[in-house]
Amino acid sequence: MRGRRPRPAPVSPRTTLALKVARKTAEAENIQSFELVDPAGKALPPFAAGSHLDVHVPGGKIRQYSLCNPPGERHRYLIAVMRAEPTRGGSRAMHEQVKEGDLIEVSAPKNHFPLVESAKHSLLIAGGIGITPILCMAEHLAGLGADFEMHYFARSPARAAFVERIKRSTFADHAFFHFTEEEKQQRLDLAVLLQTHDAGMHLYVCGGEAFMNAVIDTALQKGWRKDRVHREYFSVEKRESDSNVEFDVTIASTGRTIRIPADKTVLTALADYGIHITASCEQGVCGTCVTRVLEGEPQHRDVFLSDDEKNRNDRFTPCCSRANSRTLVLDL
Ligand code: FES
């Protein structure tokens, strides 16, 4: 009798792995990839398409980078990092300080951007460095023999990573490149691309905030249902804080109330009083800092929570979100 293939033991997302940088490669202008392996050659925890790692970059920051090697590979993780301008320090540290042979701490893979494998057709759209999870999805769908197409928007071939890998892939005939500096042209392409759809189609988009908003807005205008539009933000534009107003946060467990000044986030203001909330991206992208709200109305400024979750007003992201009410009572 044939035995079942043993499943890999589940790995807690809190697990931290110390991995070796086996290879660092310049993939495009301002984009470097890092191949990470277990120093003793052990198999790595498995991951699904759309997953990312929390990477502890030199200097103590934690940044999220999507895995862009084929899911199913257990001998390595591949991430790619675009040097952001202006940078908050994470991408610069990865580019300038991390070298081949270094050990780097990462979380086990986490997935906030899963594929719906039962989709009749998947439309994958990447903007710039947003290609990383999208490429992983394309590899997976190609392996399944699923029906999909991938569109990759970048300013120019020099700024696009993995172009040769995509051209040589088994799915090259349904991968399309859009190289343009012209925003108008991009919008035109998106409108055409998103025009035709039906209930069996799912859309996946990843890139910078402006690109993502353009894709999502166009899709919704063209009648795509929200639950068929899946997104993962890589970064958000810095928001002006001139209109911020101060408000109070009450800590439910102690009853202590702390004033949040207009020029500080809830995260930093509470930290000043020794109340530390675990955070990572500090820009409303990753969800690490999500905290329960027991009373009051948050002013959501993140791109992590869905619209439905935001409307419930029972959770918020203290790294960037603020308050519409005078006070928020937090479950801390
Ligand atoms: Fe990433 Fe707040 S730390 S959403």
Side-chain angles (χ1 to χ4, degrees):
M1 197 173 76
R2 227 192 236 175
R4 282 193 185 179
R5 203 199 288 175
R7 287 190 173 192
V11 178
S12 163
R14 293 184 188 279
T15 302
T16 302
L17 310 163
L19 301 185
K20 188 173 87 176
V21 179
R23 191 170 302 152
K24 180 179 177 184
T25 308
E27 299 285 355
E29 203 175 293
N30 281 335
I31 299 177
Q32 304 233 337
S33 70
F34 298 81
E35 184 180 308
L36 309 176
V37 299
D38 183 275
K42 288 193 210 140
L44 298 171
F47 66 97
S51 298
H52 70 270
L53 304 178
D54 289 345
V55 178
H56 297 245
V57 304
K61 295 178 192 301
I62 300 174
R63 293 289 180 265
Q64 290 68 43
Y65 296 115
S66 292
L67 289 161
C68 55
N69 51 315
E73 287 191 349
R74 301 285 307 277
H75 66 291
R76 64 173 189 155
Y77 293 145
L78 186 69
I79 58 172
V81 179
M82 185 177 77
R83 187 181 169 121
E85 288 301 342
T87 171
R88 293 182 302 137
S91 62
R92 183 173 56 212
M94 288 296 288
H95 274 237
E96 293 180 0
Q97 294 178 40
V98 177
K99 304 180 302 298
E100 289 183 0
D102 285 357
L103 284 182
I104 190 161
E105 264 192 41
V106 304
S107 68
K110 302 176 179 181
N111 198 351
H112 298 150
F113 194 36
L115 272 170
V116 178
E117 290 183 359
S118 57
K120 194 173 86 185
H121 179 81
S122 301
L123 181 57
L124 311 178
I125 300 183
I129 191 62
I131 188 61
T132 46
I134 293 292
L135 183 51
C136 190
M137 288 175 161
E139 297 273 10
H140 183 64
L141 291 170
L144 293 178
D147 187 28
F148 77 96
E149 63 186 67
M150 183 181 93
H151 293 263
Y152 183 4
F153 290 80
R155 287 194 191 162
S156 65
R159 286 174 164 253
F162 307 119
V163 172
E164 286 310 311
R165 174 175 154 190
I166 294 167
K167 286 183 175 171
R168 287 197 310 269
S169 71
T170 56
F171 53 88
D173 57 345
H174 37 274
F176 304 93
F177 297 95
H178 305 260
F179 296 126
T180 175
E181 304 255 10
E182 293 275 325
E183 196 192 336
K184 265 192 203 155
Q185 181 62 38
Q186 173 182 302
R187 284 188 181 275
L188 186 68
D189 287 350
L190 289 175
V192 173
L193 200 55
L194 296 165
Q195 178 71 39
T196 308
H197 57 96
D198 65 36
M201 288 175 67
H202 283 254
L203 167 65
Y204 300 83
V205 55
C206 185
E209 187 181 19
F211 175 79
M212 303 272 299
N213 290 344
V215 175
I216 293 168
D217 290 350
T218 308
L220 298 180
Q221 279 165 17
K222 297 292 177 190
W224 284 74
R225 265 191 9 218
K226 269 189 187 168
D227 62 346
R228 290 190 285 115
V229 177
H230 311 271
R231 79 264 199 276
E232 178 146 275
Y233 285 84
F234 255 46
S235 61
V236 292
E237 260 107 66
K238 195 168 170 7
R239 287 173 174 74
E240 294 305 326
S241 56
D242 297 355
S243 57
N244 285 353
V245 292
E246 59 181 24
F247 59 98
D248 290 336
V249 158
T250 298
I251 308 300
S253 60
T254 60
R256 185 175 192 184
T257 293
I258 292 165
R259 175 67 42 96
I260 311 297
D263 62 349
K264 285 198 172 180
T265 63
V266 175
L267 197 70
T268 52
L270 294 192
D272 289 346
Y273 289 87
I275 301 165
H276 296 283
I277 299 173
T278 306
S280 180
C281 72
E282 297 186 34
Q283 53 175 343
V285 170
C286 71
T288 304
C289 69
V290 167
T291 301
R292 284 219 312 146
V293 176
L294 301 178
E295 282 176 40
E297 185 184 320
Q299 185 184 92
H300 298 285
R301 296 188 178 183
D302 64 288
V303 292
F304 177 78
L305 296 174
S306 67
D307 288 348
D308 287 346
E309 289 169 327
K310 286 176 180 165
N311 288 338
R312 287 204 286 275
N313 280 336
D314 58 357
R315 299 192 299 157
F316 92 134
T317 51
C319 67
C320 62
S321 295
R322 301 189 64 82
N324 289 330
S325 52
R326 191 74 202 90
T327 304
L328 291 180
V329 180
L330 301 184
D331 187 16
L332 292 171

